[in-house]
Amino acid sequence: MTHRTSPAARICPNCDGFATVAITTGSRDQHGHLPTLTIACRACNGQGTVPARRVQEGARA
């Protein structure tokens, strides 16, 4: 008996799957290190995927 496959995860259209990025601040601290900020995508909450839309009966395309 075959198993049902789940649909492929949809990639977030806002971040194209790159959910977390590191951004440099542009300046160096007193030790010479370049500080970075880790920022997560707001649309997918840092997951890189969005849930598939469910088609409602009678809904227009």
Side-chain angles (χ1 to χ4, degrees):
M1 197 163 163
T2 60
H3 293 283
R4 293 185 180 182
T5 58
S6 59
R10 293 184 38 162
I11 295 176
C12 176
N14 295 323
C15 66
D16 290 329
F18 296 98
T20 306
V21 295
I23 300 172
T24 61
T25 59
S27 61
R28 298 193 180 264
D29 63 6
Q30 61 185 355
H31 301 291
H33 298 144
L34 187 63
T36 58
L37 303 171
T38 304
I39 308 296
C41 176
R42 292 182 187 174
C44 65
N45 296 323
Q47 294 180 353
T49 59
V50 291
R53 294 182 185 173
R54 297 193 178 247
V55 178
Q56 294 180 352
E57 189 174 331
R60 294 182 181 176

